[in-house]
Amino acid sequence: AYWFLLILCVLWYAAILAFRSTFAIKYFQHAHGLSLATAGAMNSYVFLAAIFATPAFGWLCDRMRRYAPMLAFGALLLPLSIAIMAATHWNLWVATALIGVSYSLVPAVMWPLTSKLVSPERFGTALGLMWVVQNAGIAGANLAAGWLNDRAGASALNPAGYQPMMMFFGIVSSLGFAFALLLWLTAGRKHQEAAAH
């Protein structure tokens, strides 16, 4: 289960942080016609909301004690939001709200869940490994998305050039959701076996 969590960590952070921190503002401007100020404000609200929502989701998870399902739900919201931005003309606030929930819910569950999946003597190593691969994934996703934008000539004059980048982020985030489901199945089975014994 820990390895599924680690792969989810890499894929989810690679998609959400590479997109929101590096490419979202230009994408909002060029593909959706927002002004720089509006695009910047919309991008910032995700991080602002996380300040308040992440502790709330952490508290909710502790109360419900349903970590894996909530992690899977949070991971699902990211590919959904990317699909909405790339394939519809819906108001960007819809996708931003979904990303905001995902950005608050997934970390609130992921990091505490690690302590439940590994033994205490390996906890520091487990967290350290997650941080290393997470940042490697973010770096790789930035390079890949930038290369796709350059190759497709993405710009204000060619907003369709952003489609390969959005497809890339959609695939990466969908794979993250798949590993969240595998984690749910694995962690759920172990929990049932422990309860039986």
Side-chain angles (χ1 to χ4, degrees):
Y2 168 75
W3 296 108
F4 291 148
L5 184 66
L6 181 131
I7 296 170
L8 166 62
C9 177
V10 175
L11 296 170
W12 184 84
Y13 273 107
I16 200 165
L17 286 186
F19 177 68
R20 298 301 296 198
S21 299
T22 308
F23 299 100
I25 293 177
K26 286 285 187 187
Y27 175 73
F28 290 162
Q29 289 179 268
H30 296 169
H32 289 275
L34 271 60
S35 68
L36 176 60
T38 304
M42 183 164 294
N43 197 45
S44 69
Y45 289 143
V46 170
F47 304 108
L48 180 63
I51 296 172
F52 306 99
T54 303
F57 280 130
W59 177 84
L60 182 63
C61 288
D62 286 340
R63 295 282 292 180
M64 295 178 63
R65 305 192 66 79
R66 300 283 294 170
Y67 298 94
M70 295 191 76
L71 187 62
F73 174 70
L76 173 63
L77 296 181
L78 184 55
L80 282 179
S81 65
I82 290 171
I84 289 169
M85 284 186 285
T88 75
H89 296 290
W90 295 1
N91 191 305
L92 281 177
W93 282 111
V94 176
T96 297
L98 293 178
I99 289 179
V101 174
S102 181
Y103 189 69
S104 298
L105 181 56
V106 171
V109 180
M110 179 186 298
W111 299 107
L113 184 58
T114 308
S115 67
K116 300 179 183 300
L117 298 179
V118 298
S119 58
E121 61 269 17
R122 294 182 178 177
F123 185 54
T125 303
L127 285 182
L129 183 58
M130 287 175 71
W131 276 101
V132 168
V133 295
Q134 168 197 328
N135 285 291
I138 295 169
N142 273 295
L143 292 170
W147 179 81
L148 288 170
N149 285 344
D150 289 344
R151 183 179 173 86
S155 67
L157 299 177
N158 181 29
Y162 285 101
Q163 286 301 315
M165 176 193 74
M166 295 302 285
M167 185 176 296
F168 166 73
F169 284 129
I171 291 170
V172 170
S173 59
S174 296
L175 287 172
F177 170 60
F179 277 96
L181 287 178
L182 288 173
L183 172 64
W184 184 2
L185 294 173
T186 304
R189 187 174 66 248
K190 287 185 175 180
H191 180 72
Q192 289 174 349
E193 291 172 355
H197 294 304

